[in-house]
Amino acid sequence: MKITRIDTTRLKSLPNLIWVEVHTDEGQVGLGETFRGSEAVEAYIHSISAGMLLGKDPLQIERHSKTLLRGYLGFNGSGVETRAASALDIALWDIFGQAVNQPIYQLLGGLAHDSMRAYNTCAGGNFNTGGEQRRTIAKGETRVSERYDDQVAFIECPDELAQSLIEDGFSAMKIWPFDAFAMASGGQYISSADIRKGLEPFEKIRKAVGDRIELMCEFHSLWNTTTALAIARELKDYNIFWSEDPIKMDSVQGLADYRRLSGLPVCGSETLATRSSFRDLLAADALDYVMLDLSWCGGISEAKKVAALAEAYQKPIAPHDCTGPVVLMASLHLGLSSPNAIFQEVVRAYLAGFYQDLVTTLPVVQNGFILPPTGAGLGTALNPRLHDRADCLVRTSQL
């Protein structure tokens, strides 16, 4: 078996997303995906990565992972080189699964969980996409309208939102009400009055549903350590499950100090790439929960090493998805086969909206748990109708 062609696909309406399809001479087509800087990733794949893979055996995944991920430049960050390597690695695992007619989780050792607990990131239908996708979410006889998408709702009606999620079977939710105040000060300062405003959604949720739902707070690495600690001192009264990325993840000592002084469990980080970054934070006792994004950290090959590293430190993992459906599927395979996986992030607005247009199959969520994918490899493929769209851009490298 050898790789004969590599296609990349982008949509102008979703400019952050890019898909890669790796073709073999035996007919398999492996699918991968990454997010942000899609044009730069496309250029790198066709100018650099394709030359490393075309004509090679796609099943030599570890060899390709080292070649793509540990090059002379780009090996120590989540830049274009790493994002391209991540997408291609996911595609190679998809080929492996198709070649042996097994789901990827089976290739990673089989099911460690019969299903994976999901939490809802409370984003709206066009959050973080770079486009203008938006679709109303159906809920039984009622409808969560555009005004009350989850991102708007966690500010305007957080109590109703929490109740809605519980009715959908979710037992955990993540919100980020402090971000607007960080934008105003560059993350250098927050007033007591603004802390109180940021706490209001947590207070309303706890008053409405008590402890029937876990609450995560996302900080998007927007604060300095001093200000993050000022927020944490007040936030800890609301039984927060984790504090995610409170500061930039490149300050090992700063994060360790935050964890020690804040009284909050720390989750990090979707922004980190490769096992060495996680190793340094784990060794410094700076993390309670390990979050990783498979499209930014190095793909499935590197993610399974990070998961094993986290397990050695007795830390659970919770894969990130606020990006695309292919990464969600790949993350689910990783989580289902990792004994220390406790959550898979989902965005219900994405699952009910634009994700449905992009791939042939999406994960099945039942009562807040995601069922194992069926089918070989990832268990999904790029929707062939995407190529009929006027805004679809395809580029090919081949032998």
Side-chain angles (χ1 to χ4, degrees):
M1 183 187 296
K2 65 180 179 181
I3 297 169
T4 57
R5 194 174 97 208
I6 297 174
D7 296 334
T8 55
T9 301
R10 296 188 289 115
L11 297 176
K12 290 182 180 179
S13 57
L14 289 171
N16 276 331
L17 274 167
I18 183 169
W19 300 278
V20 60
E21 292 173 296
V22 178
H23 300 251
T24 77
D25 60 346
E26 295 186 9
Q28 295 90 356
V29 181
L31 176 62
E33 177 184 78
T34 193
F35 189 83
R36 291 196 183 277
S38 63
E39 291 182 68
V41 172
E42 175 191 75
Y44 187 84
I45 285 174
H46 292 287
S47 63
I48 304 294
S49 304
M52 299 176 178
L53 292 176
L54 288 170
K56 303 293 178 57
D57 181 351
L59 301 186
Q60 296 179 351
I61 299 176
E62 278 294 334
R63 175 179 290 185
H64 299 318
S65 176
K66 182 179 179 181
T67 301
L68 294 168
L69 195 60
R70 300 290 292 175
Y72 185 63
L73 292 174
F75 62 86
N76 58 345
S78 55
V80 167
E81 298 94 340
T82 300
R83 297 202 300 279
S86 300
L88 288 162
D89 184 82
I90 293 169
L92 295 181
W93 278 95
D94 191 22
I95 290 172
F96 185 14
Q98 293 174 41
V100 297
N101 197 31
Q102 293 289 331
I104 290 173
Y105 65 73
Q106 194 64 50
L107 310 182
L108 296 172
L111 291 175
H113 313 274
D114 293 330
S115 61
M116 183 54 55
R117 187 182 183 191
Y119 73 86
N120 185 64
T121 279
C122 296
N126 66 345
F127 173 75
N128 206 34
T129 64
E132 296 301 324
Q133 302 293 317
R134 187 179 288 274
R135 189 140 115 196
T136 303
I137 302 169
K139 259 192 89 309
E141 296 301 318
T142 64
R143 296 187 74 80
V144 181
S145 69
E146 178 172 322
R147 177 170 181 264
Y148 289 110
D149 71 27
D150 290 351
Q151 192 172 349
V152 174
F154 79 68
I155 296 296
E156 293 192 359
C157 55
D159 46 356
E160 295 178 23
L161 172 61
Q163 188 61 53
S164 166
L165 288 167
I166 290 171
E167 290 171 2
D168 273 358
F170 288 100
S171 58
M173 62 188 291
K174 186 166 74 182
I175 61 176
W176 47 98
F178 292 100
D179 281 21
F181 308 117
M183 301 300 181
S185 71
Q188 302 305 304
Y189 167 80
I190 187 169
S191 68
S192 297
D194 285 343
I195 290 177
R196 179 51 51 191
K197 290 177 185 175
L199 293 172
E200 286 178 3
F202 298 98
E203 189 167 346
K204 290 178 180 178
I205 290 168
R206 286 289 178 238
K207 188 175 291 186
V209 302
D211 291 329
R212 287 189 292 151
I213 197 162
E214 303 288 2
L215 270 170
M216 294 96 155
C217 187
E218 164 74 87
F219 290 100
H220 290 121
S221 297
L222 293 174
W223 300 97
N224 63 31
T225 306
T226 301
T227 311
L229 283 169
I231 297 170
R233 282 193 290 270
E234 305 300 324
L235 188 59
K236 66 182 180 181
D237 291 337
Y238 296 93
N239 190 23
I240 300 303
F241 190 83
W242 72 44
S243 169
E244 184 175 330
D245 289 5
I247 65 172
K248 281 284 190 290
M249 293 293 109
D250 58 356
S251 176
V252 175
Q253 186 60 57
L255 191 63
D257 288 344
Y258 175 89
R259 179 178 181 266
R260 178 171 50 86
L261 297 171
S262 68
L264 295 176
V266 173
C267 177
S269 166
E270 67 203 52
T271 64
L272 294 176
T274 73
R275 75 204 84 154
S276 59
S277 298
F278 291 94
R279 175 204 62 204
D280 293 345
L281 290 177
L282 288 165
D285 206 21
L287 293 176
D288 295 282
Y289 299 94
V290 171
M291 174 171 286
L292 63 167
D293 188 300
L294 272 65
S295 69
W296 294 338
C297 77
I300 294 172
S301 296
E302 192 70 8
K304 67 188 179 76
K305 297 178 177 71
V306 173
L309 180 63
E311 188 178 15
Y313 278 90
Q314 296 288 306
K315 305 293 184 181
I317 67 166
H320 173 255
D321 175 63
C322 198
T323 52
V326 180
V327 170
L328 174 57
M329 291 291 275
S331 300
L332 185 56
H333 285 280
L334 175 75
L336 286 166
S337 60
S338 300
N340 56 329
I342 60 165
F343 273 118
Q344 173 60 56
E345 179 177 22
V346 300
V347 183
R348 67 174 180 175
Y350 290 3
L351 287 171
F354 72 96
Y355 274 14
Q356 296 183 14
D357 302 325
L358 303 179
V359 292
T360 56
T361 306
L362 287 172
V364 177
V365 183
Q366 289 184 356
N367 298 318
F369 284 81
I370 314 177
L371 303 183
T374 58
L378 284 171
T380 196
L382 202 62
N383 188 336
R385 292 193 298 272
L386 290 186
H387 293 148
D388 297 330
R389 292 176 51 156
D391 68 333
C392 182
L393 301 168
V394 178
R395 185 172 170 183
T396 297
S397 293
Q398 58 188 0
L399 284 176

